[in-house]
Structures are given as C-alpha cells and as structure tokens.
Amino acid sequence: MSTFQAPKGTYDLTPPRSATFLAVREAISAPLRDSGYGYIETPGFENVELFARGVGESTDIVTKEMYTLTTKGGDQLALRPEGTASVLRAALEANLHKAGNLPVKLWYSGSYYRYERPQAGRYRHFSQVGAEAIGTEDPALDAELIILADQAYRSLGLRRFRILLNSLGDKECRPVYREALQTFLRDLDLDEETRRRIEINPLRVLDDKRADVQKQLTDAPKLRDYLCDACKAYHEEVRALLTAAGVAFEDDEKLVRGLDYYTRTTFEFVHDGLGSQSAVGGGGRYDGLSEMIGGPELPSVGWALGVDRTALALEAESVELDLPATTSVYAVPLGEEARRVLFGVVTELRRAGIAADFAFGGRGLKGAMKSANRSGARYTLVAGERDLAEGVVQLKDMESGEQSAVPLAEAAAELAKRLG
Ligand code: AMP
C-alpha cells in the first residue's frame, strides 16, 4: 500500500469487478442507442449558477452537496452533481433543438459528484448512464424512456426491481396544490429549516424521512386531488402505454424526488435488495427547466440510472453476468528466439482481431501456464528451441487439454479458423 488512499466516499474500480461496470454501462446504453438516442458528453464541471438555477436553490444537492470551487481566474464552478442541467445547457448551446428534429434524444455516461455522508450504495463520486428527450410533450415519450430502462435492467438479469410512478402536475395545477399544501404545513410543529422549506419548496417536505414529520403529514392534501384535467389525461395515457407494453409499475403519490425541475411524470426504479439506498435510477418530465436556465420553452423528459447501485443490485440478486473471456490466445515462449517469434505471432493475431496475450518477463513454463489459465484463454501457444528448429509451435486447447504441433507459418490462420 502507498501513503495515499482513495478519498473518503470514493472507491477504485479494479479488475475483475471493473468488467461488471463496463457491462452495466453497455447494457443500459444499448436500448437507447437502438432507439434513436445520440451520445453526448459534457464537461465534468459547469458554472455553479447552472445547477443553482437548474437543480434548484432549495435542494439538498445545491445547498449541501455540491463540490464548488473558485478558479484562479475567479470563475465559480461546481463539479457536476447530476446530468440533466448540463445536457440541456449543451443542447441549447449547440442549437440542437433548432435543427427541426424534435425531440432531441441524447444519452450520456459519466462521473457525478455529491458531498454526501458516505454509506453502502452512497458515494461522493458515482457514475450514471442517463437519457434525455428534449423538446416534445408526448406521453409515448415518457413511456418509451421507462420501457427502455426496464428493458435495460431485464437484459442484465435483474428481477427484484420495482417502478414507482407519479405525476407532479404542471404550471396550471401545481401552484394551486402548492398553496393548499403550504397552508396545511404552516400549522404543523416543525423546525426552522423545514419551515423555511415550506416557503421555498413545500413538496419536498413530503419527502422528509423523519418519523415525527411523517406522522404529521398523514392528512396532508394530496396532489392527485389537484391535478388538472390535462395532467390527469396525460398521466393516464402514460400508464396505459406502460400497461400495454407489459411493464409493471406502482402508483406512488408520495414520490416527489429531490430535484426542483420535475413536472408531470416522475418515476423511480427501486431495488429490494439494497437496504436504505434502494433507488437504482430515477427521472421524469421537466417541462420548465429550459426556461429556468434561459432557454425557450422545451418540454422534456429523461432519466439517470446509477451504475454503482445497479452493480450492487446484481450482487444482491447473485446475477453472474456472462462476460466473455477477454483473452482468446495466450502465448508462452521458452527461450530468447521463441520470445521474438511468438511475440510476432501475437501481434499478427491481434491485428486479425483475435484477443491475444503473452507471457512477458521470460518466466518459466509452470508460472507462464498458470497465467495462461488465469487469462481464461481458450488456446495457448507454446514454443521452445526444438519446436522452432522444426518450424512448428505447440497449440493447446485449454478446454479439452489436447495439444498438437502446428506449422509456425499457419498458426495464426489455424487459430482464426478454430475461434470461428
Ligand atoms: P438522482 O439524480 O438523485 O435521482 O440519482 C439518480 C440515480 O443515481 C440514483 O437512483 C442512484 O442510483 C444514483 N445515485 C445518486 N446519488 C448517488 C450517490 N451518492 N452514490 C451512488 N449512486 C447515486
């Protein structure tokens, strides 16, 4: 061990576990790539104001969890705590919404940073794959995103996850509900900070995890009773489309989520094997966000799925991903001349698209064969002085144990044939 360790709340991903993370990212993004979503990458940091306005001044993310910094030039930046505000900012900046092709469908994958109290499944550096569909109001688009996330989790072999669904209303009905809720909340016995929250973002008080607060909320007015007809119809259509697609969901009228920008459809994916940090992903519609960050009206919907927690969910369900061995052929040279020759064969194999590795460092046969085994390679190539004198290499099938001499000049072609 060195003098240094990974910072608190972070961890390193090393082989073999890192392969699972790559597979998770691949599995989550595959359905998106097959559904017209284009890849977008944005900087790891943004102007702090983007998140203050976009995520919400009153959210925990902005008030407590952002890593902010002042550059030597005096710019106020923040490491990105989430993806949506950045992606929308980038789409607007690139005028993607003006190309006459709405919705603009984008997917991303990257690292996010929140200064949270670390615990199992909650880190200060974590990774997400996300999707945003910008500029269109259509219940089928909300349904599409939920169906694609469901497809992604299922393709990984996950079964013990649930989809929670709610509608938060729109700019017509939400303010009416907000006021009714505020009137109710102001009469409760709450601490100063929560009282402040009532005035800034009362819906988030419903999200309070404390039992004494929850007890007082039993008779709180319900958003469902305040939804306008347009919101109700929209929500019913999303539900009908999910049902028609065979995607099971649970109506959860308590679901408000920790970000300010959501309107109408909101959803969360929870996994029952993860303890308190059970949300593996979440998202929803954010029709007002574009205007909040200075853009035109662009109703949009998106989600972000946590890669770390998806990997934990796989472990909780004991799902073994079918990860193909990364090496197909392992070459073991015995002696100087063989080293040069087999290194040449390995290079030739790699250029032909065959995954090959080599026993570096002039190791003995026994140790080198151990590495060959560990690599998971289907075939090993072994050559010593006598083989070279005869113009052959020994080709061993690691599954059957069979070994045969193959002319050196034909080794690569023979392997290509056998590996199909
Ligand atoms: P959120 O933007 O908070 O809804 O986050 C979306 C998803 O990202 C969550 O459902 C988690 O899977 C993941 N996530 C959020 N915060 C963390 C964290 N601190 N550590 C690990 N995963 C996280």
Side-chain angles (χ1 to χ4, degrees), residues 19 323-329 354-357 374-377:
L323 301 172
T326 47
T327 302
S328 301
V329 180
I354 294 170
D357 204 357
R374 216 174 282 153
S375 76

Side-chain angles (χ1 to χ4, degrees), residues 61 81-82 114 116 121-128 257 259 261-262 268-269 279-283 304-310:
I61 291 181
E82 60 103 48
R114 292 182 196 175
E116 300 202 77
R122 187 160 76 189
Y123 312 105
R124 291 180 172 178
H125 165 265
F126 57 97
S127 106
Q128 290 181 336
R257 298 185 41 77
L259 294 80
Y261 52 59
Y262 288 109
E268 206 156 84
F269 299 88
V280 287
L305 309 189
V307 175
D308 310 73
R309 285 189 202 163
T310 303

